Amino acid sequence: MHSDTLESLLVTTHRLARLAAQASGSRTPAAIWRTLAILETEGPMRVGELAAACRITQPGMTRTLATMVEEELVLRIADVEDSRAWLIKPTSKGISALNVWRTEIAATLEPWFGELTLAEWNTLAEAARILEAHTASDAVVA
């Protein structure tokens, strides 16, 4: 029973994000936004860890990161634990771009929900709070 609810939430949130991204008209690949969001939440990561977190191949992540470095959205910093390795860290420009993107897609979605009552908005706000609390990196069980 609960798995049905979780499945519905998962399917609907994916659809909502996809529709919002398409409606916004942005040509920035979703992989860039996903990468920035993961780095914002999890902090600097090695390329392999980041690829796994984004669910793409390491060569695919390397290509994505080349674009992101060129656009100054991320930078490579030395890994103090292993001088042979690099960590990927978002830049302030990258985090700013991510925040602008989130604002744009939220604004794109707002008209679709214009008919909601205050009680419905409050329900969505509570659902968002619950989802955030149970998906924060320190709350997730591997």
Side-chain angles (χ1 to χ4, degrees):
M1 176 166 134
H2 296 300
S3 62
D4 291 344
T5 300
L6 292 172
E7 181 181 342
S8 178
L9 280 169
L10 185 62
V11 169
T12 303
T13 55
H14 279 274
R15 183 182 322 121
L16 185 65
R18 181 178 41 80
L19 291 172
Q22 290 171 340
S24 76
S26 173
R27 294 194 164 281
T28 302
I32 288 178
W33 301 127
R34 183 173 45 253
T35 301
L36 284 169
I38 289 169
L39 290 170
E40 176 191 44
T41 303
E42 304 298 324
M45 300 175 83
R46 290 184 180 183
V47 175
E49 294 171 312
L50 191 53
C54 289
R55 296 178 26 244
I56 64 173
T57 65
Q58 191 161 336
M61 178 52 68
T62 298
R63 285 189 300 275
T64 298
L65 290 173
T67 299
M68 295 176 74
V69 167
E70 184 177 308
E71 294 178 10
E72 300 176 345
L73 301 174
V74 297
L75 51 91
R76 293 181 176 105
I77 59 173
D79 185 341
V80 295
E81 295 179 14
D82 182 352
S83 61
R84 300 166 298 161
W86 293 95
L87 295 173
I88 306 303
K89 177 182 177 180
T91 63
S92 57
K93 179 180 177 182
I95 296 302
S96 178
L98 179 62
N99 289 332
V100 167
W101 164 247
R102 288 173 173 161
T103 300
E104 286 176 7
I105 62 172
T108 299
L109 289 174
E110 200 163 350
W112 297 355
F113 295 89
E115 301 295 320
L116 293 184
T117 66
L118 180 58
E120 290 169 324
W121 278 113
N122 289 338
T123 299
L124 287 178
E126 179 64 7
R129 186 198 63 74
I130 292 168
L131 289 171
E132 184 175 354
H134 288 273
T135 60
S137 59
D138 59 349
V140 176
V141 178

